[in-house]
Amino acid sequence: FVGVDVFFVISGYLITTILIEDLENQRFSLVNFYERRARRILPALFFVMLVCIPFAWMWMLPDPLENFGQSLVAATLSANNVLLYLTSGYWGLASEFKPLLHTWSLGVEEQYYVFFPLLLLLTWRFGKGIVLLSIIIIASVSLALSEWLSRENPEAAFFLIHTRAWELLAGSICAFVVQRRGVQKNNPLALLGLAAIIFAIFFYDETTPFPGVYALVPVLGVVLVVLYADNKTLAAKFLSTKGFVGIGLVSYSAYLWHQPLFAFSKIHQQTEPSLLLNAVLIFATFLLSFASWKYIEKPFRNKSMINAKVFLLIIAISALGLLGFGYSAHKGHGFVERIFDESVYSTDMAISYNTRNFSYKKNAFETDLEPKILVIGNSFGRDFVNVLEETYDFTRLELVYSDHYDVCNLFQTDSGEVLYKDSEIIVFASNYDASDTLCIDNALRLSSKVGASLFFVGTKQFGVNLNWIARTEPDERKLLRNPVLQETMDSDIEASNAIPSTNYISLMQTLNNNEGVIVTDEFGRLISPDRTHLTRYGAIYIGREIILESQLGKILQPLILDE
């Protein structure tokens, strides 16, 4: 992902160089600037997005297709970075199945294109010194925000323009420096810059707080190359070889094609794609990149081949098509009827399948109803609330769900003490760290002291990919299974070893057998929409097959819903 940071700095440098020249020669026009940027970015982007639609229609289940539709709308409006911030993290497993995930960086760049020329126009009259000082101040504030949010809100730091602006503005600062004194020849500094970029590419991973100060390594690396890699330096000669120049020519198209190719390969496979397939996909990326560079990028940049009116008409029609399909996929919940007919999914069920029925929220006990159940956990906790709601009569019990506590802090805070002392049943349903035996032992002791029954619900996961089910015939979808992930089973075993059997509810021991983990029920209805959470049918299935047979089920037996 460090390539994005390199891309931002270079983009900021090139755009600012063009703007400075236009302003100094008094030929700057916002309309012409935006047209040039649109010609550079939109034709190839829209083409790739349009190509993705039929494959998404054929291969995606409703939930992923709904998300794809949202991405189509957001990417068309240059805001996929905002959508991704609102819906998921970059490193989530689901990200691997998002064909348009990568367009978040285009969103950042396009937002920069909107605001940066206006900043130059507003400050240019005061002289270059003031312009440069303004850029440095804004970049410094952006970097500080980036560092703070990379720890407080990593998704915001990663995706949003105000925490990425400093990288583009670093390139802008380079443009002012180069415009004044040219590119300098300094072999050691240029090689140091190249080494910094290579280091970040190979040694940064998903555990690195990013962007923040860690992004200074690749960003300053690019800055050193831009400022000091004169044509005669070793770094410049290395980067000027035919291979790198060729990759550079098709780099934008390669950027556009790589994510859809790899995402759709994962969507199509039941298991992880093979090394051979990945090698073929890399080759296909460059083949498609060359074709789209030659037949889409180059012609659309040439005004003599495609004039402004024709260009705007093509872009407008394409945008309307993308927005129309994207909005329909969102509004229609991924076109559920493509896959499931009404005998399997009613309209109400289809909606709850996509929203995952996560509407229940209650933070305190307020009635005299008994038993009083406290469920603690993240989205897995919400899943478990759904299981209980589909299995038991909620009019005869009182349930509180909270995602503010875990197995440790529930018993170590005053607000947590109020909850657990009022509870008759406490359930921890989260992908917690079962190795923290001290907190588990303390929870068992304190819950026993207040007379509450304590349960830990094990983890769950439904394989690498579920989209292959979309290609199966409806009468072949009953009780389908997926290869189980070994790390999921290892986590379940670790938890069962750390927690007494009377207090531990394993989901995977029932869901999984020698043929794999179950992914559809006896009617062919999906148990999970995304491989980790539950559909309404999944909640019904787990309630019936697992919870009713557990120790918790024995306690709640009088409250079972009538069929």
Side-chain angles (χ1 to χ4, degrees):
F1 58 93
V2 170
V4 170
D5 308 273
V6 174
F7 167 74
F8 282 159
V9 180
I10 294 174
S11 181
Y13 169 71
L14 293 174
I15 295 304
T16 306
T17 299
I18 294 169
L19 290 172
I20 290 174
E21 290 177 358
D22 285 353
L23 286 166
E24 285 191 333
N25 294 309
Q26 297 184 336
R27 62 169 185 258
F28 176 73
S29 164
L30 269 178
V31 173
N32 289 338
F33 173 79
Y34 290 140
E35 183 187 347
R36 288 201 305 268
R37 291 297 88 206
R39 285 178 178 272
R40 171 74 176 90
I41 292 173
L42 297 183
L45 171 64
F46 284 3
F47 178 75
V48 171
M49 291 165 67
L50 287 166
V51 169
C52 286
I53 289 176
F55 294 98
W57 178 273
M58 292 185 295
W59 293 351
M60 281 182 161
L61 286 171
D63 197 63
L65 186 64
E66 180 181 354
N67 182 270
F68 174 75
Q70 295 165 354
S71 295
L72 280 177
V73 173
T76 304
L77 300 176
S78 304
N80 205 26
N81 59 322
V82 178
L83 175 67
L84 284 166
Y85 161 65
L86 294 173
T87 56
S88 72
Y90 191 84
W91 291 105
L93 183 63
S95 298
E96 298 178 19
F97 297 87
K98 294 181 179 180
L100 301 180
L101 170 75
H102 59 322
T103 60
W104 75 266
S105 59
L106 270 185
V108 171
E109 189 186 15
E110 290 164 338
Q111 290 154 24
Y112 162 80
Y113 291 157
V114 171
F115 296 110
F116 186 70
L118 299 176
L119 172 66
L120 287 190
L121 280 177
L122 291 172
T123 57
W124 193 258
R125 71 189 74 177
F126 302 111
K128 283 187 185 178
I130 296 298
V131 176
L132 182 57
L133 179 62
S134 301
I135 292 172
I136 292 172
I137 291 172
I138 295 171
S140 300
V141 172
S142 174
L143 173 58
L145 275 173
S146 179
E147 169 61 16
W148 176 62
L149 282 175
S150 66
R151 288 168 171 77
E152 297 296 321
N153 191 338
E155 286 79 15
F158 197 96
F159 288 117
L160 300 183
I161 178 65
H162 58 282
T163 53
R164 288 289 189 168
W166 68 274
E167 300 181 37
L168 289 145
L169 294 175
S172 300
I173 294 168
C174 288
F176 278 90
V177 174
V178 170
Q179 201 257 351
R180 180 176 179 181
R181 62 172 192 164
V183 178
Q184 302 295 296
K185 178 185 177 183
N186 191 313
N187 262 313
L189 288 179
L191 288 172
L192 177 63
L194 198 56
I197 297 168
I198 294 170
F199 171 83
I201 289 171
F202 285 99
F203 289 95
Y204 284 7
D205 59 24
E206 65 270 23
T207 65
T208 307
F210 212 79
V213 294
Y214 283 89
L216 279 170
V217 175
V219 167
L220 291 180
V222 182
V223 168
L224 289 175
V225 171
V226 169
L227 295 181
Y228 296 106
D230 174 83
N231 289 336
K232 297 178 181 180
T233 60
L234 293 173
K237 290 178 180 178
F238 174 70
L239 294 172
S240 298
T241 56
K242 287 185 178 180
F244 280 115
V245 171
I247 291 172
L249 283 175
V250 302
S251 60
Y252 177 58
S253 283
Y255 156 83
L256 290 177
W257 281 112
H258 85 280
Q259 177 66 18
L261 283 173
F262 281 91
F264 278 117
S265 74
K266 289 178 179 292
I267 288 166
H268 189 267
Q269 302 283 112
Q270 188 174 3
T271 57
E272 287 286 353
S274 67
L275 189 62
L276 176 62
L277 178 57
N278 284 333
V280 170
L281 292 173
I282 292 172
F283 177 76
T285 296
F286 284 104
L287 200 64
L288 289 168
S289 301
F290 176 77
S292 57
W293 168 73
K294 184 175 182 178
Y295 298 111
I296 298 175
E297 286 192 62
K298 287 183 70 177
F300 273 94
R301 289 188 214 173
N302 190 336
K303 291 184 179 181
S304 63
M305 292 184 65
I306 300 175
N307 63 40
K309 287 184 178 179
V310 173
F311 170 74
L312 287 174
L313 180 62
I314 293 173
I315 292 301
I317 292 173
S318 300
L320 287 173
L322 292 167
L323 291 171
F325 181 87
Y327 179 76
S328 298
H330 163 70
K331 199 69 176 176
H333 301 288
F335 303 110
V336 180
E337 64 277 3
R338 286 177 310 124
I339 313 296
F340 305 107
D341 60 35
E342 289 187 3
S343 66
V344 177
Y345 281 87
S346 68
T347 303
D348 290 340
M349 287 291 197
I351 293 172
S352 69
Y353 153 68
N354 285 83
T355 58
R356 301 181 191 144
N357 198 25
F358 281 176
S359 59
Y360 189 94
K361 190 76 173 178
K362 188 174 182 180
N363 297 316
F365 293 111
E366 299 168 344
T367 73
D368 295 329
L369 288 173
E370 293 182 349
K372 297 189 182 302
I373 305 173
L374 172 63
V375 176
I376 302 294
N378 51 19
S379 58
F380 281 32
R382 293 196 295 272
D383 261 347
F384 193 73
V385 171
N386 295 338
V387 170
L388 294 179
E389 194 168 13
E390 298 296 341
T391 310
Y392 299 103
D393 185 352
F394 264 40
T395 65
R396 299 165 59 196
L397 58 82
E398 185 173 16
L399 185 144
V400 167
Y401 162 70
S402 176
D403 56 5
H404 299 307
Y405 301 97
D406 57 34
V407 68
C408 291
N409 65 19
L410 175 68
F411 298 97
Q412 296 174 0
T413 59
D414 292 339
S415 56
E417 184 178 4
V418 171
L419 281 175
Y420 81 75
K421 282 189 173 180
D422 287 341
S423 305
E424 296 171 52
I425 298 171
I426 303 171
V427 181
F428 288 100
S430 182
N431 48 347
Y432 51 83
D433 183 3
S435 63
D436 196 346
T437 55
L438 185 62
C439 287
I440 292 173
D441 290 342
N442 188 51
L444 289 166
R445 180 178 58 84
L446 289 175
S447 61
S448 177
K449 185 177 179 180
V450 297
S453 299
L454 179 64
F455 297 96
F456 294 84
V457 179
T459 189
K460 62 185 185 304
Q461 216 283 340
F462 297 91
V464 172
N465 177 34
L466 295 173
N467 287 285
W468 59 272
I469 297 171
R471 306 194 310 276
T472 61
E473 293 298 323
D475 57 356
E476 297 176 358
R477 293 190 187 133
K478 298 175 182 179
L479 301 174
L480 293 175
R481 290 184 179 270
N482 238 356
V484 70
L485 297 183
Q486 188 56 48
E487 54 263 37
T488 304
M489 297 308 299
D490 291 343
S491 176
D492 185 61
I493 292 169
E494 181 185 1
S496 64
N497 290 335
I499 301 167
S501 59
T502 54
N503 301 97
Y504 185 65
I505 301 173
S506 172
L507 303 181
M508 295 305 297
Q509 288 177 21
T510 300
L511 295 173
N512 183 57
N513 64 19
N514 292 334
E515 297 177 3
V517 60
I518 195 162
V519 292
T520 59
D521 66 10
E522 65 273 25
F523 299 104
R525 304 175 302 199
L526 282 173
I527 286 175
S528 171
D530 60 1
R531 306 174 326 284
T532 53
H533 300 98
L534 299 175
T535 64
R536 186 174 183 185
Y537 299 107
I540 293 170
Y541 184 89
I542 286 179
R544 182 188 71 211
E545 299 295 326
I546 301 175
I547 303 306
L548 288 179
E549 302 300 320
S550 68
Q551 188 66 32
L552 173 62
K554 293 176 182 177
I555 296 173
L556 297 178
Q557 197 274 335
L559 304 178
I560 296 174
L561 282 170
D562 295 329
E563 293 186 3

